[in-house]
Amino acid sequence: MRGWWREITGLVLPAACGGCGSPRTPLCEDCGRALYGTWPCRVRPAPEPVGLPTVHAAAPYEDAVRAVLLAHKERGALGLAGPLGRALGGAVQAAAPPGTSVGPLLLVPVPSTRRAVGARGHDAARRIALAAAGELRRTGRPCRVLPLLRQRRAVADQAGLGARQRLANLSGALEVPVGGARLLEGGRVVLVDDLMTTGASLVEAARALRAATGPGIPGFVQVSAAVVAAPPLSFEINRN
């Protein structure tokens, strides 16, 4: 019910820029440029956890980009899924450039907990992934979203936890349902999320996908990742 109401109010109420609050536009030109105006880069958290796949991000998590992500995820500004999907699509292109794979792009969203989805009224990462897939298909790249990962046990709220605590909290928390790995055969797997901070969620998601690898899924263990945003320091480390 909550998600349905947000969809309706997003259509009928006056829009303001999710980044700066400018009236009469869900995303102004300046904030759009901050979100998807540059080519995505490889990012590495500090410290970089063992098992982290290669990650590309569209923009640093600061200022307007931070505001847009929070408006979409926490305040239900669902109209921002399109611009965020455009940004994520660019990061996916950087993670899996055209010509580097034979099969379709398979975007696997990192799942939020049921508690978080219920509180927000929507699954932010999955919604952005669907928007990104649409953008990629419009460029001529076969692409689909496969929400295969699921929670196999409860985890604590990540807020306030350090890097090591986050890794321990999420270790073994995700799984691919029996038979789900067959859906990944022949495609280029890219883990997707809205934000990378310590990398713990992507480490666990990659582990769960690799654990599902079996005979008949050649090259499946080569998992890459793409996110909308990452901390600015992650970009600085990439440059050095």
Side-chain angles (χ1 to χ4, degrees):
M1 181 68 177
R2 183 179 178 183
W4 173 85
W5 178 247
R6 281 179 170 171
E7 295 278 8
I8 296 299
T9 55
L11 292 173
V12 301
L13 294 181
C17 174
C20 66
S22 297
R24 295 185 296 277
T25 176
L27 189 69
C28 73
E29 184 176 341
D30 288 343
C31 292
R33 189 159 45 245
L35 181 61
Y36 46 67
T38 58
W39 186 249
C41 296
R42 183 174 179 183
V43 289
R44 299 179 176 92
E48 184 173 357
V50 175
L52 183 71
T54 300
V55 186
H56 285 77
Y61 185 61
E62 59 184 355
D63 303 331
V65 173
R66 181 178 185 273
V68 170
L69 279 169
L70 289 176
H72 176 259
K73 177 186 281 186
E74 304 295 348
R75 298 197 296 277
L78 303 182
L80 293 171
L84 289 167
R86 177 178 172 182
L88 180 60
V92 171
Q93 291 273 44
T100 60
S101 60
V102 177
L105 288 171
L106 304 175
L107 307 188
V108 180
V110 176
S112 299
T113 65
R114 291 182 180 178
R115 181 174 63 253
V117 172
R120 294 167 182 154
H122 71 124
D123 188 330
R126 184 172 179 178
R127 185 180 292 272
I128 296 171
L130 289 168
E135 288 285 333
L136 290 162
R137 286 193 295 268
R138 280 190 284 275
T139 69
R141 295 204 71 180
C143 180
R144 63 179 182 270
V145 177
L146 293 178
L148 290 180
L149 292 170
R150 69 181 184 187
Q151 299 280 340
R152 64 186 298 266
R153 64 168 179 81
V155 298
D157 189 340
Q158 294 278 81
L161 299 181
R164 290 185 179 180
Q165 293 171 314
R166 289 187 177 210
L167 285 169
N169 182 43
L170 294 177
S171 180
L174 299 178
E175 66 179 358
V176 175
V178 175
R182 290 197 299 269
L183 299 175
L184 299 163
E185 186 173 357
R188 174 69 182 267
V189 179
V190 183
L191 281 166
V192 293
D193 206 350
D194 57 350
L195 175 66
M196 181 195 74
T197 50
T198 65
S201 296
L202 291 173
V203 167
E204 172 56 20
R207 182 211 61 78
L209 289 177
R210 290 170 181 142
T213 302
I217 312 176
F220 169 48
V221 293
Q222 297 179 358
V223 178
S224 55
V227 297
V228 174
L233 181 60
S234 300
F235 288 82
E236 294 297 329
I237 289 174
N238 179 58
R239 295 190 190 105
N240 297 332

